[in-house]
PDB file of all heavy atoms in Angstrom:
ATOM      1  N   VAL R  14      -1.796  13.888   9.820  1.00 78.00           N
ATOM      2  CA  VAL R  14      -1.516  13.551   8.424  1.00 78.00           C
ATOM      3  C   VAL R  14      -2.644  14.103   7.559  1.00 78.00           C
ATOM      4  O   VAL R  14      -3.821  13.875   7.855  1.00 78.00           O
ATOM      5  CB  VAL R  14      -1.394  12.017   8.240  1.00 78.00           C
ATOM      6  CG1 VAL R  14      -1.228  11.655   6.786  1.00 78.00           C
ATOM      7  CG2 VAL R  14      -0.255  11.471   9.076  1.00 78.00           C
ATOM      8  N   PRO R  15      -2.316  14.844   6.495  1.00 79.00           N
ATOM      9  CA  PRO R  15      -3.357  15.441   5.650  1.00 79.00           C
ATOM     10  C   PRO R  15      -4.305  14.390   5.073  1.00 79.00           C
ATOM     11  O   PRO R  15      -3.893  13.284   4.738  1.00 79.00           O
ATOM     12  CB  PRO R  15      -2.577  16.124   4.529  1.00 79.00           C
ATOM     13  CG  PRO R  15      -1.187  16.271   5.047  1.00 79.00           C
ATOM     14  CD  PRO R  15      -0.979  15.178   6.040  1.00 79.00           C
ATOM     15  N   ALA R  16      -5.576  14.729   4.971  1.00 76.00           N
ATOM     16  CA  ALA R  16      -6.599  13.804   4.486  1.00 76.00           C
ATOM     17  C   ALA R  16      -6.336  13.351   3.051  1.00 76.00           C
ATOM     18  O   ALA R  16      -6.704  12.240   2.682  1.00 76.00           O
ATOM     19  CB  ALA R  16      -7.974  14.452   4.588  1.00 76.00           C
ATOM     20  N   VAL R  17      -5.679  14.185   2.235  1.00 77.00           N
ATOM     21  CA  VAL R  17      -5.419  13.812   0.841  1.00 77.00           C
ATOM     22  C   VAL R  17      -4.438  12.652   0.723  1.00 77.00           C
ATOM     23  O   VAL R  17      -4.430  11.950  -0.282  1.00 77.00           O
ATOM     24  CB  VAL R  17      -4.915  15.011   0.011  1.00 77.00           C
ATOM     25  CG1 VAL R  17      -5.973  16.082  -0.099  1.00 77.00           C
ATOM     26  CG2 VAL R  17      -3.634  15.580   0.578  1.00 77.00           C
ATOM     27  N   SER R  18      -3.611  12.437   1.742  1.00 77.00           N
ATOM     28  CA  SER R  18      -2.639  11.339   1.679  1.00 77.00           C
ATOM     29  C   SER R  18      -3.103  10.116   2.472  1.00 77.00           C
ATOM     30  O   SER R  18      -2.372   9.155   2.602  1.00 77.00           O
ATOM     31  CB  SER R  18      -1.274  11.805   2.185  1.00 77.00           C
ATOM     32  OG  SER R  18      -1.358  12.174   3.542  1.00 77.00           O
ATOM     33  N   ARG R  19      -4.323  10.168   3.011  1.00 81.00           N
ATOM     34  CA  ARG R  19      -4.884   9.039   3.751  1.00 81.00           C
ATOM     35  C   ARG R  19      -6.012   8.423   2.950  1.00 81.00           C
ATOM     36  O   ARG R  19      -6.591   9.045   2.067  1.00 81.00           O
ATOM     37  CB  ARG R  19      -5.444   9.491   5.099  1.00 81.00           C
ATOM     38  CG  ARG R  19      -4.397   9.806   6.107  1.00 81.00           C
ATOM     39  CD  ARG R  19      -5.006  10.104   7.435  1.00 81.00           C
ATOM     40  NE  ARG R  19      -5.674  11.413   7.383  1.00 81.00           N
ATOM     41  CZ  ARG R  19      -6.577  11.809   8.243  1.00 81.00           C
ATOM     42  NH1 ARG R  19      -6.972  11.027   9.204  1.00 81.00           N
ATOM     43  NH2 ARG R  19      -7.114  12.998   8.140  1.00 81.00           N
ATOM     44  N   GLY R  20      -6.348   7.193   3.293  1.00 82.00           N
ATOM     45  CA  GLY R  20      -7.477   6.512   2.683  1.00 82.00           C
ATOM     46  C   GLY R  20      -8.010   5.495   3.666  1.00 82.00           C
ATOM     47  O   GLY R  20      -7.404   5.254   4.712  1.00 82.00           O
ATOM     48  N   TYR R  21      -9.141   4.884   3.333  1.00 79.00           N
ATOM     49  CA  TYR R  21      -9.750   3.916   4.239  1.00 79.00           C
ATOM     50  C   TYR R  21      -9.647   2.530   3.631  1.00 79.00           C
ATOM     51  O   TYR R  21     -10.147   2.285   2.530  1.00 79.00           O
ATOM     52  CB  TYR R  21     -11.206   4.284   4.508  1.00 79.00           C
ATOM     53  CG  TYR R  21     -11.842   3.399   5.542  1.00 79.00           C
ATOM     54  CD1 TYR R  21     -11.513   3.510   6.886  1.00 79.00           C
ATOM     55  CD2 TYR R  21     -12.757   2.428   5.170  1.00 79.00           C
ATOM     56  CE1 TYR R  21     -12.081   2.690   7.843  1.00 79.00           C
ATOM     57  CE2 TYR R  21     -13.344   1.605   6.120  1.00 79.00           C
ATOM     58  CZ  TYR R  21     -12.994   1.737   7.453  1.00 79.00           C
ATOM     59  OH  TYR R  21     -13.556   0.921   8.390  1.00 79.00           O
ATOM     60  N   ASP R  22      -8.998   1.623   4.342  1.00 78.00           N
ATOM     61  CA  ASP R  22      -8.904   0.218   3.942  1.00 78.00           C
ATOM     62  C   ASP R  22     -10.085  -0.495   4.574  1.00 78.00           C
ATOM     63  O   ASP R  22     -10.079  -0.785   5.775  1.00 78.00           O
ATOM     64  CB  ASP R  22      -7.582  -0.377   4.433  1.00 78.00           C
ATOM     65  CG  ASP R  22      -7.411  -1.837   4.033  1.00 78.00           C
ATOM     66  OD1 ASP R  22      -8.359  -2.426   3.468  1.00 78.00           O
ATOM     67  OD2 ASP R  22      -6.322  -2.385   4.293  1.00 78.00           O
ATOM     68  N   GLY R  23     -11.126  -0.759   3.779  1.00 74.00           N
ATOM     69  CA  GLY R  23     -12.344  -1.364   4.297  1.00 74.00           C
ATOM     70  C   GLY R  23     -12.143  -2.778   4.810  1.00 74.00           C
ATOM     71  O   GLY R  23     -12.826  -3.202   5.740  1.00 74.00           O
ATOM     72  N   GLY R  24     -11.206  -3.523   4.229  1.00 78.00           N
ATOM     73  CA  GLY R  24     -10.965  -4.893   4.665  1.00 78.00           C
ATOM     74  C   GLY R  24     -10.374  -4.962   6.058  1.00 78.00           C
ATOM     75  O   GLY R  24     -10.718  -5.828   6.856  1.00 78.00           O
ATOM     76  N   LYS R  25      -9.488  -4.050   6.362  1.00 77.00           N
ATOM     77  CA  LYS R  25      -8.829  -4.046   7.671  1.00 77.00           C
ATOM     78  C   LYS R  25      -9.361  -2.948   8.590  1.00 77.00           C
ATOM     79  O   LYS R  25      -8.896  -2.812   9.717  1.00 77.00           O
ATOM     80  CB  LYS R  25      -7.319  -3.887   7.485  1.00 77.00           C
ATOM     81  CG  LYS R  25      -6.729  -5.066   6.732  1.00 77.00           C
ATOM     82  CD  LYS R  25      -5.243  -4.955   6.564  1.00 77.00           C
ATOM     83  CE  LYS R  25      -4.734  -6.143   5.768  1.00 77.00           C
ATOM     84  NZ  LYS R  25      -3.387  -5.986   5.341  1.00 77.00           N
ATOM     85  N   LYS R  26     -10.282  -2.165   8.055  1.00 81.00           N
ATOM     86  CA  LYS R  26     -10.889  -1.073   8.828  1.00 81.00           C
ATOM     87  C   LYS R  26      -9.831  -0.128   9.399  1.00 81.00           C
ATOM     88  O   LYS R  26      -9.831   0.187  10.584  1.00 81.00           O
ATOM     89  CB  LYS R  26     -11.785  -1.638   9.926  1.00 81.00           C
ATOM     90  CG  LYS R  26     -12.968  -2.419   9.370  1.00 81.00           C
ATOM     91  CD  LYS R  26     -13.837  -2.946  10.469  1.00 81.00           C
ATOM     92  CE  LYS R  26     -15.078  -3.606   9.944  1.00 81.00           C
ATOM     93  NZ  LYS R  26     -14.901  -4.689   9.026  1.00 81.00           N
ATOM     94  N   ILE R  27      -8.954   0.305   8.511  1.00 81.00           N
ATOM     95  CA  ILE R  27      -7.876   1.211   8.909  1.00 81.00           C
ATOM     96  C   ILE R  27      -7.938   2.477   8.067  1.00 81.00           C
ATOM     97  O   ILE R  27      -8.018   2.415   6.839  1.00 81.00           O
ATOM     98  CB  ILE R  27      -6.493   0.536   8.748  1.00 81.00           C
ATOM     99  CG1 ILE R  27      -6.346  -0.571   9.787  1.00 81.00           C
ATOM    100  CG2 ILE R  27      -5.368   1.545   8.867  1.00 81.00           C
ATOM    101  CD1 ILE R  27      -5.051  -1.329   9.716  1.00 81.00           C
ATOM    102  N   ASN R  28      -7.900   3.615   8.732  1.00 82.00           N
ATOM    103  CA  ASN R  28      -7.832   4.905   8.064  1.00 82.00           C
ATOM    104  C   ASN R  28      -6.375   5.352   8.111  1.00 82.00           C
ATOM    105  O   ASN R  28      -5.843   5.621   9.177  1.00 82.00           O
ATOM    106  CB  ASN R  28      -8.728   5.926   8.772  1.00 82.00           C
ATOM    107  CG  ASN R  28      -8.757   7.250   8.047  1.00 82.00           C
ATOM    108  OD1 ASN R  28      -8.287   7.363   6.914  1.00 82.00           O
ATOM    109  ND2 ASN R  28      -9.305   8.250   8.697  1.00 82.00           N
ATOM    110  N   GLY R  29      -5.709   5.371   6.983  1.00 85.00           N
ATOM    111  CA  GLY R  29      -4.295   5.727   6.980  1.00 85.00           C
ATOM    112  C   GLY R  29      -3.640   5.507   5.638  1.00 85.00           C
ATOM    113  O   GLY R  29      -4.168   5.869   4.600  1.00 85.00           O
ATOM    114  N   GLY R  30      -2.482   4.886   5.675  1.00 86.00           N
ATOM    115  CA  GLY R  30      -1.701   4.665   4.472  1.00 86.00           C
ATOM    116  C   GLY R  30      -1.394   3.191   4.278  1.00 86.00           C
ATOM    117  O   GLY R  30      -1.720   2.350   5.119  1.00 86.00           O
ATOM    118  N   ARG R  31      -0.766   2.891   3.159  1.00 89.00           N
ATOM    119  CA  ARG R  31      -0.406   1.513   2.854  1.00 89.00           C
ATOM    120  C   ARG R  31       0.985   1.490   2.251  1.00 89.00           C
ATOM    121  O   ARG R  31       1.316   2.299   1.394  1.00 89.00           O
ATOM    122  CB  ARG R  31      -1.409   0.914   1.886  1.00 89.00           C
ATOM    123  CG  ARG R  31      -1.135  -0.543   1.597  1.00 89.00           C
ATOM    124  CD  ARG R  31      -2.187  -1.142   0.737  1.00 89.00           C
ATOM    125  NE  ARG R  31      -3.318  -1.507   1.588  1.00 89.00           N
ATOM    126  CZ  ARG R  31      -4.370  -2.154   1.143  1.00 89.00           C
ATOM    127  NH1 ARG R  31      -4.467  -2.502  -0.119  1.00 89.00           N
ATOM    128  NH2 ARG R  31      -5.351  -2.463   1.953  1.00 89.00           N
ATOM    129  N   ARG R  32       1.796   0.546   2.729  1.00 89.00           N
ATOM    130  CA  ARG R  32       3.140   0.331   2.186  1.00 89.00           C
ATOM    131  C   ARG R  32       3.087  -0.866   1.250  1.00 89.00           C
ATOM    132  O   ARG R  32       2.796  -1.980   1.680  1.00 89.00           O
ATOM    133  CB  ARG R  32       4.130   0.049   3.310  1.00 89.00           C
ATOM    134  CG  ARG R  32       4.321   1.186   4.251  1.00 89.00           C
ATOM    135  CD  ARG R  32       5.362   0.856   5.298  1.00 89.00           C
ATOM    136  NE  ARG R  32       4.849  -0.062   6.308  1.00 89.00           N
ATOM    137  CZ  ARG R  32       4.807   0.209   7.605  1.00 89.00           C
ATOM    138  NH1 ARG R  32       5.243   1.369   8.053  1.00 89.00           N
ATOM    139  NH2 ARG R  32       4.339  -0.671   8.458  1.00 89.00           N
ATOM    140  N   HIS R  33       3.364  -0.638  -0.022  1.00 92.00           N
ATOM    141  CA  HIS R  33       3.425  -1.713  -1.017  1.00 92.00           C
ATOM    142  C   HIS R  33       4.901  -2.053  -1.200  1.00 92.00           C
ATOM    143  O   HIS R  33       5.711  -1.162  -1.462  1.00 92.00           O
ATOM    144  CB  HIS R  33       2.830  -1.258  -2.343  1.00 92.00           C
ATOM    145  CG  HIS R  33       1.413  -0.798  -2.223  1.00 92.00           C
ATOM    146  ND1 HIS R  33       0.339  -1.652  -2.301  1.00 92.00           N
ATOM    147  CD2 HIS R  33       0.891   0.432  -1.997  1.00 92.00           C
ATOM    148  CE1 HIS R  33      -0.775  -0.972  -2.147  1.00 92.00           C
ATOM    149  NE2 HIS R  33      -0.467   0.309  -1.972  1.00 92.00           N
ATOM    150  N   VAL R  34       5.239  -3.325  -1.077  1.00 91.00           N
ATOM    151  CA  VAL R  34       6.633  -3.748  -1.156  1.00 91.00           C
ATOM    152  C   VAL R  34       6.751  -4.878  -2.169  1.00 91.00           C
ATOM    153  O   VAL R  34       5.947  -5.815  -2.164  1.00 91.00           O
ATOM    154  CB  VAL R  34       7.144  -4.227   0.223  1.00 91.00           C
ATOM    155  CG1 VAL R  34       8.584  -4.665   0.136  1.00 91.00           C
ATOM    156  CG2 VAL R  34       6.980  -3.144   1.262  1.00 91.00           C
ATOM    157  N   ILE R  35       7.755  -4.783  -3.021  1.00 90.00           N
ATOM    158  CA  ILE R  35       8.093  -5.883  -3.926  1.00 90.00           C
ATOM    159  C   ILE R  35       9.454  -6.399  -3.485  1.00 90.00           C
ATOM    160  O   ILE R  35      10.409  -5.628  -3.374  1.00 90.00           O
ATOM    161  CB  ILE R  35       8.136  -5.440  -5.402  1.00 90.00           C
ATOM    162  CG1 ILE R  35       6.778  -4.905  -5.839  1.00 90.00           C
ATOM    163  CG2 ILE R  35       8.569  -6.603  -6.289  1.00 90.00           C
ATOM    164  CD1 ILE R  35       6.734  -4.408  -7.272  1.00 90.00           C
ATOM    165  N   THR R  36       9.527  -7.709  -3.207  1.00 90.00           N
ATOM    166  CA  THR R  36      10.775  -8.329  -2.774  1.00 90.00           C
ATOM    167  C   THR R  36      11.157  -9.449  -3.728  1.00 90.00           C
ATOM    168  O   THR R  36      10.341  -9.903  -4.537  1.00 90.00           O
ATOM    169  CB  THR R  36      10.650  -8.925  -1.354  1.00 90.00           C
ATOM    170  OG1 THR R  36       9.737 -10.025  -1.390  1.00 90.00           O
ATOM    171  CG2 THR R  36      10.179  -7.894  -0.355  1.00 90.00           C
ATOM    172  N   ASP R  37      12.399  -9.899  -3.606  1.00 89.00           N
ATOM    173  CA  ASP R  37      12.806 -11.088  -4.350  1.00 89.00           C
ATOM    174  C   ASP R  37      12.451 -12.313  -3.513  1.00 89.00           C
ATOM    175  O   ASP R  37      11.830 -12.202  -2.451  1.00 89.00           O
ATOM    176  CB  ASP R  37      14.295 -11.031  -4.714  1.00 89.00           C
ATOM    177  CG  ASP R  37      15.223 -11.103  -3.523  1.00 89.00           C
ATOM    178  OD1 ASP R  37      14.745 -11.234  -2.382  1.00 89.00           O
ATOM    179  OD2 ASP R  37      16.443 -11.024  -3.725  1.00 89.00           O
ATOM    180  N   SER R  38      12.846 -13.493  -3.962  1.00 86.00           N
ATOM    181  CA  SER R  38      12.466 -14.723  -3.268  1.00 86.00           C
ATOM    182  C   SER R  38      13.150 -14.879  -1.913  1.00 86.00           C
ATOM    183  O   SER R  38      12.720 -15.690  -1.093  1.00 86.00           O
ATOM    184  CB  SER R  38      12.768 -15.942  -4.147  1.00 86.00           C
ATOM    185  OG  SER R  38      14.142 -15.951  -4.493  1.00 86.00           O
ATOM    186  N   LEU R  39      14.195 -14.098  -1.644  1.00 91.00           N
ATOM    187  CA  LEU R  39      14.850 -14.123  -0.341  1.00 91.00           C
ATOM    188  C   LEU R  39      14.272 -13.096   0.622  1.00 91.00           C
ATOM    189  O   LEU R  39      14.681 -13.012   1.773  1.00 91.00           O
ATOM    190  CB  LEU R  39      16.362 -13.867  -0.500  1.00 91.00           C
ATOM    191  CG  LEU R  39      17.162 -14.913  -1.268  1.00 91.00           C
ATOM    192  CD1 LEU R  39      18.602 -14.472  -1.420  1.00 91.00           C
ATOM    193  CD2 LEU R  39      17.070 -16.267  -0.578  1.00 91.00           C
ATOM    194  N   GLY R  40      13.338 -12.285   0.136  1.00 91.00           N
ATOM    195  CA  GLY R  40      12.748 -11.246   0.971  1.00 91.00           C
ATOM    196  C   GLY R  40      13.518  -9.942   0.945  1.00 91.00           C
ATOM    197  O   GLY R  40      13.257  -9.050   1.749  1.00 91.00           O
ATOM    198  N   LEU R  41      14.455  -9.808   0.014  1.00 92.00           N
ATOM    199  CA  LEU R  41      15.238  -8.580  -0.117  1.00 92.00           C
ATOM    200  C   LEU R  41      14.452  -7.563  -0.946  1.00 92.00           C
ATOM    201  O   LEU R  41      13.906  -7.898  -1.992  1.00 92.00           O
ATOM    202  CB  LEU R  41      16.591  -8.879  -0.758  1.00 92.00           C
ATOM    203  CG  LEU R  41      17.443  -9.914  -0.013  1.00 92.00           C
ATOM    204  CD1 LEU R  41      18.673 -10.267  -0.824  1.00 92.00           C
ATOM    205  CD2 LEU R  41      17.828  -9.398   1.359  1.00 92.00           C
ATOM    206  N   VAL R  42      14.411  -6.338  -0.489  1.00 91.00           N
ATOM    207  CA  VAL R  42      13.569  -5.306  -1.091  1.00 91.00           C
ATOM    208  C   VAL R  42      14.046  -4.942  -2.496  1.00 91.00           C
ATOM    209  O   VAL R  42      15.220  -4.657  -2.716  1.00 91.00           O
ATOM    210  CB  VAL R  42      13.540  -4.050  -0.199  1.00 91.00           C
ATOM    211  CG1 VAL R  42      12.769  -2.925  -0.867  1.00 91.00           C
ATOM    212  CG2 VAL R  42      12.935  -4.378   1.154  1.00 91.00           C
ATOM    213  N   LEU R  43      13.084  -4.926  -3.422  1.00 92.00           N
ATOM    214  CA  LEU R  43      13.340  -4.460  -4.785  1.00 92.00           C
ATOM    215  C   LEU R  43      12.725  -3.084  -5.011  1.00 92.00           C
ATOM    216  O   LEU R  43      13.295  -2.257  -5.699  1.00 92.00           O
ATOM    217  CB  LEU R  43      12.765  -5.448  -5.808  1.00 92.00           C
ATOM    218  CG  LEU R  43      13.303  -6.874  -5.761  1.00 92.00           C
ATOM    219  CD1 LEU R  43      12.568  -7.735  -6.780  1.00 92.00           C
ATOM    220  CD2 LEU R  43      14.797  -6.894  -6.003  1.00 92.00           C
ATOM    221  N   MET R  44      11.533  -2.854  -4.417  1.00 91.00           N
ATOM    222  CA  MET R  44      10.857  -1.582  -4.623  1.00 91.00           C
ATOM    223  C   MET R  44       9.829  -1.360  -3.513  1.00 91.00           C
ATOM    224  O   MET R  44       9.236  -2.320  -3.023  1.00 91.00           O
ATOM    225  CB  MET R  44      10.155  -1.576  -5.985  1.00 91.00           C
ATOM    226  CG  MET R  44       9.522  -0.271  -6.357  1.00 91.00           C
ATOM    227  SD  MET R  44       8.814  -0.315  -8.024  1.00 91.00           S
ATOM    228  CE  MET R  44      10.295  -0.124  -8.984  1.00 91.00           C
ATOM    229  N   VAL R  45       9.620  -0.089  -3.148  1.00 91.00           N
ATOM    230  CA  VAL R  45       8.638   0.279  -2.125  1.00 91.00           C
ATOM    231  C   VAL R  45       7.831   1.466  -2.644  1.00 91.00           C
ATOM    232  O   VAL R  45       8.380   2.369  -3.278  1.00 91.00           O
ATOM    233  CB  VAL R  45       9.329   0.680  -0.797  1.00 91.00           C
ATOM    234  CG1 VAL R  45       8.314   1.152   0.219  1.00 91.00           C
ATOM    235  CG2 VAL R  45      10.150  -0.459  -0.242  1.00 91.00           C
ATOM    236  N   LEU R  46       6.530   1.452  -2.360  1.00 92.00           N
ATOM    237  CA  LEU R  46       5.663   2.565  -2.711  1.00 92.00           C
ATOM    238  C   LEU R  46       4.701   2.781  -1.552  1.00 92.00           C
ATOM    239  O   LEU R  46       4.082   1.833  -1.068  1.00 92.00           O
ATOM    240  CB  LEU R  46       4.868   2.261  -3.991  1.00 92.00           C
ATOM    241  CG  LEU R  46       3.848   3.303  -4.425  1.00 92.00           C
ATOM    242  CD1 LEU R  46       4.538   4.599  -4.848  1.00 92.00           C
ATOM    243  CD2 LEU R  46       2.988   2.760  -5.551  1.00 92.00           C
ATOM    244  N   VAL R  47       4.571   4.012  -1.088  1.00 90.00           N
ATOM    245  CA  VAL R  47       3.641   4.348  -0.009  1.00 90.00           C
ATOM    246  C   VAL R  47       2.470   5.102  -0.626  1.00 90.00           C
ATOM    247  O   VAL R  47       2.670   6.081  -1.350  1.00 90.00           O
ATOM    248  CB  VAL R  47       4.324   5.199   1.080  1.00 90.00           C
ATOM    249  CG1 VAL R  47       3.335   5.573   2.171  1.00 90.00           C
ATOM    250  CG2 VAL R  47       5.516   4.461   1.656  1.00 90.00           C
ATOM    251  N   THR R  48       1.263   4.605  -0.350  1.00 89.00           N
ATOM    252  CA  THR R  48       0.044   5.214  -0.893  1.00 89.00           C
ATOM    253  C   THR R  48      -0.991   5.366   0.208  1.00 89.00           C
ATOM    254  O   THR R  48      -0.781   4.949   1.341  1.00 89.00           O
ATOM    255  CB  THR R  48      -0.569   4.325  -2.005  1.00 89.00           C
ATOM    256  OG1 THR R  48      -1.011   3.094  -1.422  1.00 89.00           O
ATOM    257  CG2 THR R  48       0.419   4.057  -3.118  1.00 89.00           C
ATOM    258  N   ALA R  49      -2.134   5.918  -0.154  1.00 88.00           N
ATOM    259  CA  ALA R  49      -3.279   5.951   0.756  1.00 88.00           C
ATOM    260  C   ALA R  49      -3.763   4.515   0.944  1.00 88.00           C
ATOM    261  O   ALA R  49      -3.568   3.665   0.068  1.00 88.00           O
ATOM    262  CB  ALA R  49      -4.386   6.818   0.166  1.00 88.00           C
ATOM    263  N   ALA R  50      -4.416   4.226   2.066  1.00 86.00           N
ATOM    264  CA  ALA R  50      -4.804   2.853   2.397  1.00 86.00           C
ATOM    265  C   ALA R  50      -5.854   2.270   1.454  1.00 86.00           C
ATOM    266  O   ALA R  50      -5.997   1.057   1.370  1.00 86.00           O
ATOM    267  CB  ALA R  50      -5.313   2.794   3.833  1.00 86.00           C
ATOM    268  N   ASN R  51      -6.590   3.100   0.745  1.00 86.00           N
ATOM    269  CA  ASN R  51      -7.623   2.582  -0.148  1.00 86.00           C
ATOM    270  C   ASN R  51      -7.062   2.108  -1.491  1.00 86.00           C
ATOM    271  O   ASN R  51      -7.800   1.584  -2.318  1.00 86.00           O
ATOM    272  CB  ASN R  51      -8.713   3.634  -0.374  1.00 86.00           C
ATOM    273  CG  ASN R  51      -8.181   4.899  -1.010  1.00 86.00           C
ATOM    274  OD1 ASN R  51      -7.059   5.322  -0.732  1.00 86.00           O
ATOM    275  ND2 ASN R  51      -8.986   5.520  -1.850  1.00 86.00           N
ATOM    276  N   ILE R  52      -5.770   2.241  -1.729  1.00 86.00           N
ATOM    277  CA  ILE R  52      -5.139   1.758  -2.961  1.00 86.00           C
ATOM    278  C   ILE R  52      -4.805   0.277  -2.787  1.00 86.00           C
ATOM    279  O   ILE R  52      -4.093  -0.096  -1.864  1.00 86.00           O
ATOM    280  CB  ILE R  52      -3.857   2.559  -3.293  1.00 86.00           C
ATOM    281  CG1 ILE R  52      -4.167   4.055  -3.386  1.00 86.00           C
ATOM    282  CG2 ILE R  52      -3.205   2.038  -4.560  1.00 86.00           C
ATOM    283  CD1 ILE R  52      -5.132   4.437  -4.478  1.00 86.00           C
ATOM    284  N   THR R  53      -5.318  -0.564  -3.676  1.00 85.00           N
ATOM    285  CA  THR R  53      -5.103  -2.005  -3.563  1.00 85.00           C
ATOM    286  C   THR R  53      -3.739  -2.409  -4.130  1.00 85.00           C
ATOM    287  O   THR R  53      -3.085  -1.620  -4.832  1.00 85.00           O
ATOM    288  CB  THR R  53      -6.190  -2.777  -4.332  1.00 85.00           C
ATOM    289  OG1 THR R  53      -6.060  -2.488  -5.726  1.00 85.00           O
ATOM    290  CG2 THR R  53      -7.579  -2.412  -3.841  1.00 85.00           C
ATOM    291  N   ASP R  54      -3.332  -3.647  -3.852  1.00 83.00           N
ATOM    292  CA  ASP R  54      -2.077  -4.169  -4.414  1.00 83.00           C
ATOM    293  C   ASP R  54      -2.121  -4.117  -5.939  1.00 83.00           C
ATOM    294  O   ASP R  54      -1.137  -3.776  -6.593  1.00 83.00           O
ATOM    295  CB  ASP R  54      -1.841  -5.610  -3.977  1.00 83.00           C
ATOM    296  CG  ASP R  54      -1.332  -5.727  -2.564  1.00 83.00           C
ATOM    297  OD1 ASP R  54      -1.019  -4.705  -1.931  1.00 83.00           O
ATOM    298  OD2 ASP R  54      -1.235  -6.867  -2.097  1.00 83.00           O
ATOM    299  N   ARG R  55      -3.247  -4.482  -6.488  1.00 85.00           N
ATOM    300  CA  ARG R  55      -3.383  -4.508  -7.947  1.00 85.00           C
ATOM    301  C   ARG R  55      -3.197  -3.110  -8.543  1.00 85.00           C
ATOM    302  O   ARG R  55      -2.515  -2.934  -9.543  1.00 85.00           O
ATOM    303  CB  ARG R  55      -4.741  -5.082  -8.306  1.00 85.00           C
ATOM    304  CG  ARG R  55      -4.954  -5.210  -9.778  1.00 85.00           C
ATOM    305  CD  ARG R  55      -6.367  -5.703 -10.046  1.00 85.00           C
ATOM    306  NE  ARG R  55      -6.540  -5.813 -11.461  1.00 85.00           N
ATOM    307  CZ  ARG R  55      -6.902  -6.914 -12.064  1.00 85.00           C
ATOM    308  NH1 ARG R  55      -7.128  -7.988 -11.377  1.00 85.00           N
ATOM    309  NH2 ARG R  55      -7.048  -6.926 -13.369  1.00 85.00           N
ATOM    310  N   GLN R  56      -3.825  -2.103  -7.930  1.00 88.00           N
ATOM    311  CA  GLN R  56      -3.686  -0.732  -8.425  1.00 88.00           C
ATOM    312  C   GLN R  56      -2.246  -0.248  -8.291  1.00 88.00           C
ATOM    313  O   GLN R  56      -1.718   0.395  -9.200  1.00 88.00           O
ATOM    314  CB  GLN R  56      -4.625   0.204  -7.659  1.00 88.00           C
ATOM    315  CG  GLN R  56      -6.095  -0.047  -7.938  1.00 88.00           C
ATOM    316  CD  GLN R  56      -6.990   0.683  -6.959  1.00 88.00           C
ATOM    317  OE1 GLN R  56      -6.653   0.839  -5.788  1.00 88.00           O
ATOM    318  NE2 GLN R  56      -8.156   1.123  -7.436  1.00 88.00           N
ATOM    319  N   ALA R  57      -1.616  -0.543  -7.176  1.00 89.00           N
ATOM    320  CA  ALA R  57      -0.221  -0.133  -6.981  1.00 89.00           C
ATOM    321  C   ALA R  57       0.691  -0.853  -7.961  1.00 89.00           C
ATOM    322  O   ALA R  57       1.646  -0.268  -8.479  1.00 89.00           O
ATOM    323  CB  ALA R  57       0.217  -0.414  -5.551  1.00 89.00           C
ATOM    324  N   ALA R  58       0.397  -2.119  -8.232  1.00 87.00           N
ATOM    325  CA  ALA R  58       1.237  -2.905  -9.140  1.00 87.00           C
ATOM    326  C   ALA R  58       1.233  -2.329 -10.550  1.00 87.00           C
ATOM    327  O   ALA R  58       2.242  -2.411 -11.252  1.00 87.00           O
ATOM    328  CB  ALA R  58       0.762  -4.361  -9.170  1.00 87.00           C
ATOM    329  N   ARG R  59       0.138  -1.735 -10.952  1.00 88.00           N
ATOM    330  CA  ARG R  59       0.070  -1.139 -12.300  1.00 88.00           C
ATOM    331  C   ARG R  59       1.123  -0.056 -12.496  1.00 88.00           C
ATOM    332  O   ARG R  59       1.623   0.142 -13.586  1.00 88.00           O
ATOM    333  CB  ARG R  59      -1.315  -0.574 -12.557  1.00 88.00           C
ATOM    334  CG  ARG R  59      -2.314  -1.639 -12.846  1.00 88.00           C
ATOM    335  CD  ARG R  59      -3.570  -1.070 -13.467  1.00 88.00           C
ATOM    336  NE  ARG R  59      -4.445  -2.187 -13.786  1.00 88.00           N
ATOM    337  CZ  ARG R  59      -5.698  -2.263 -13.421  1.00 88.00           C
ATOM    338  NH1 ARG R  59      -6.243  -1.281 -12.743  1.00 88.00           N
ATOM    339  NH2 ARG R  59      -6.424  -3.305 -13.747  1.00 88.00           N
TER     340      ARG R  59
END
């Protein structure tokens, strides 16, 4: 996987990507975004 699409998640010590998911109260998917692992939930939510 190209380095530009990877990041380091310091909290989980993972070098890779992150799947951000927004669901409804039943757990049904509303939206998905895949980013580098160093992108936080807050940054993705923006």
Side-chain angles (χ1 to χ4, degrees):
V14 175
V17 295
S18 63
R19 286 186 288 162
Y21 186 73
D22 181 354
K25 297 181 182 168
K26 296 181 175 57
I27 291 179
N28 184 11
R31 183 175 278 185
R32 296 183 285 239
H33 302 273
V34 180
I35 300 178
T36 67
D37 67 2
S38 57
L39 295 176
L41 303 173
V42 175
L43 300 177
M44 185 176 282
V45 176
L46 176 67
V47 178
T48 66
N51 61 324
I52 304 297
T53 65
D54 282 353
R55 183 184 180 124
Q56 292 168 326
R59 284 196 177 128

